[in-house]
Amino acid sequence: MKHAITIFTLGAVLALSASQAFAAGDVARGKTKVATCVACHGQDGQSIDPQYPRLAGQYASYLAQSLHEYKDGRRTNAIMKGFAAGLSDQDIDDVAVYFSSLPTKLDGLEHHIQGN
């Protein structure tokens, strides 16, 4: 029983640390940093052009990772690399939590993937 309590406690501590790590951004600051993003992804993160992903409601950790990958070249897209290059780590976290905080309208992939 003592072993189970120790494992449970360790799991709780890890879970709290992980959520704090992913919650490093600030939604209000993020909203002020998305002026270039909205040209393609929409003011509300709901792109109407299927060639641009909808960002609203995506996981903040996924969005942040994607921006870091564009910035360091692991993802290749000349436009996104240019935009990401000027972002600090804090900017990336702020933008990611901002778009993550927006409600998504995406309930399926119809008309959002080329060929469908």
Side-chain angles (χ1 to χ4, degrees):
M1 181 67 167
K2 188 176 181 180
H3 183 67
I5 292 172
T6 303
I7 290 173
F8 176 77
T9 304
L10 178 61
V13 168
L14 290 174
L16 287 172
S17 324
S19 29
Q20 288 174 349
F22 292 127
D26 180 89
V27 173
R29 281 193 317 247
K31 185 175 183 177
T32 68
K33 299 174 183 178
V34 297
T36 56
C37 307
V38 301
C40 298
H41 298 286
Q43 184 65 43
D44 59 356
Q46 305 291 342
S47 172
I48 57 170
D49 187 331
Q51 70 177 319
Y52 304 115
R54 290 183 171 202
L55 304 180
Q58 291 283 357
Y59 293 109
S61 57
Y62 169 74
L63 294 172
Q65 178 180 336
S66 298
L67 285 169
H68 283 291
E69 290 174 356
Y70 284 122
K71 185 174 180 173
D72 68 21
R74 286 180 284 164
R75 285 188 183 212
T76 55
N77 179 290
I79 294 169
M80 284 304 301
K81 182 169 181 65
F83 289 136
L87 298 175
S88 69
D89 289 345
Q90 186 63 59
D91 292 338
I92 288 173
D93 289 344
D94 294 342
V95 167
V97 298
Y98 170 70
F99 279 117
S100 178
S101 74
L102 299 175
T104 186
K105 295 178 185 172
L106 186 60
D107 59 356
L109 297 176
E110 300 79 23
H111 312 293
H112 298 288
I113 296 179
Q114 291 176 348
N116 280 346

